[in-house]
Amino acid sequence: MPADLCPPYAPFFGFAGVASAVTAGAAFGTAKAGIGIAGLGTFKPELIMRSLVPVVMAGIIAVYGLVVSVLIAGNLTPSKGYPLAAGFIHLGAGLSCGMTGIAAGYAIGHVGDSVTTSVVGMILILIFAEVLGLYGLIVALLMNTKVTALVDVCN
Amino acid sequence: MSDQIAAAKASEQAASRAALIKLVFFAATLIILPISSYFFTEKYVWSGNSNYAAITAICAANIVLIAYIVVSVMEDKQSFKDAEEKKISETKKER
């Protein structure tokens, strides 16, 4: 029974979860917003600080992905018996954070590209785009709490 | 006339250097603070519970973000006021 529940290829899914949590969304958001900011910087250099808010928000999305990766990697125990169910849970957690990160980074990039004159409006829209990534992180955290119950399955 | 232009250029350079230092400070804080707070609180505050440590790290990252937004909005208001004062002084000179 334990050999069925803890096959040797189970850590593959866990580490795939760690790798998929690190987002490409933040890169897209930074790049797209940076195009708009570079255009603005030549005409109005005094607006640099507030036009970099989208870039900082894309950085926060990357921090979400990093924290989920560190969290999942800390709970991986491939040497002490790692159930396949825990591998799937970790894969799901990583994917949920990574894909919502891509969605949030996409939204932040497009909003940051069209830099408007109204700071407050832009920040409000960016906050709504950012909480998409936060929801993915919360789902990933919720999924990760289920793994602690599976610790003794392999013995 | 030329020393006015030189003074304006010097103040502009000083302003852009101050902005650069602020940006570098926020970037460094955003890199260092969340991940260090994760490991620190996991070891010493939450006694091994990594989920609470992750929540602490996310709160730290959001605090840095809110601080950046507040600083940039305040600077925006300040530069708007400076531009208005400059416009008023220029119209006074033209008279």
Side-chain angles (χ1 to χ4, degrees):
Chain A
M1 219 2 202
D4 275 339
L5 292 174
C6 309
Y9 51 82
F12 169 78
F13 295 104
F15 284 113
V18 173
S20 60
V22 182
T23 64
F28 179 83
T30 307
K32 198 95 174 57
I35 295 171
I37 293 165
L40 184 75
T42 50
F43 296 117
K44 291 196 176 180
E46 66 269 9
L47 294 179
I48 287 289
M49 265 296 270
R50 73 148 170 97
S51 56
L52 279 173
V53 170
V55 176
V56 174
M57 291 208 161
I60 297 278
I61 298 288
V63 169
Y64 291 167
L66 175 71
V67 167
V68 168
S69 293
V70 170
L71 179 73
I72 296 176
N75 287 346
L76 279 172
T77 57
S79 53
K80 257 194 303 177
Y82 185 63
L84 189 60
F88 288 143
I89 292 172
H90 282 151
L91 177 68
L95 274 176
S96 91
C97 185
M99 288 165 80
T100 54
I102 290 175
Y106 184 81
I108 289 174
H110 277 285
V111 169
D113 192 15
S114 59
V115 176
T116 62
T117 49
S118 157
V119 179
V120 175
M122 180 181 83
I123 289 177
L124 273 174
I125 297 172
L126 284 172
I127 287 175
F128 276 106
E130 166 112 2
V131 292
L132 298 176
L134 187 66
Y135 295 157
L137 177 119
I138 291 172
V139 169
L141 282 182
L142 268 173
M143 283 202 232
N144 192 47
T145 58
K146 301 291 178 192
V147 176
T148 51
L150 291 172
V151 157
D152 291 323
V153 162
C154 285
N155 298 336
Chain B
M1 178 64 176
S2 66
D3 52 346
Q4 271 185 355
I5 295 178
K9 259 197 199 162
S11 76
E12 225 180 87
Q13 267 188 3
S16 59
R17 195 172 301 138
L20 186 65
I21 289 175
K22 253 189 262 184
L23 285 172
V24 168
F25 166 75
F26 273 108
T29 313
L30 192 58
I31 293 171
I32 294 173
L33 200 67
I35 207 69
S36 61
S37 68
Y38 174 87
F39 287 117
F40 183 79
T41 54
E42 187 187 22
K43 198 162 181 199
Y44 294 115
V45 177
W46 303 116
S47 44
N49 189 338
S50 51
N51 290 317
Y52 291 166
I55 293 173
T56 311
I58 295 306
C59 289
N62 279 310
I63 286 172
V64 172
L65 175 71
I66 291 171
Y68 182 85
I69 291 176
V70 165
V71 165
S72 76
V73 168
M74 278 188 347
E75 194 179 286
D76 206 30
K77 266 194 216 157
Q78 183 64 32
S79 75
F80 190 64
K81 223 186 287 179
D82 285 346
E84 277 206 357
E85 278 176 14
K86 216 189 281 180
K87 225 187 282 181
I88 292 174
S89 69
E90 273 179 15
T91 54
K92 272 197 196 151
K93 262 191 239 165
E94 275 169 24
R95 271 195 253 141

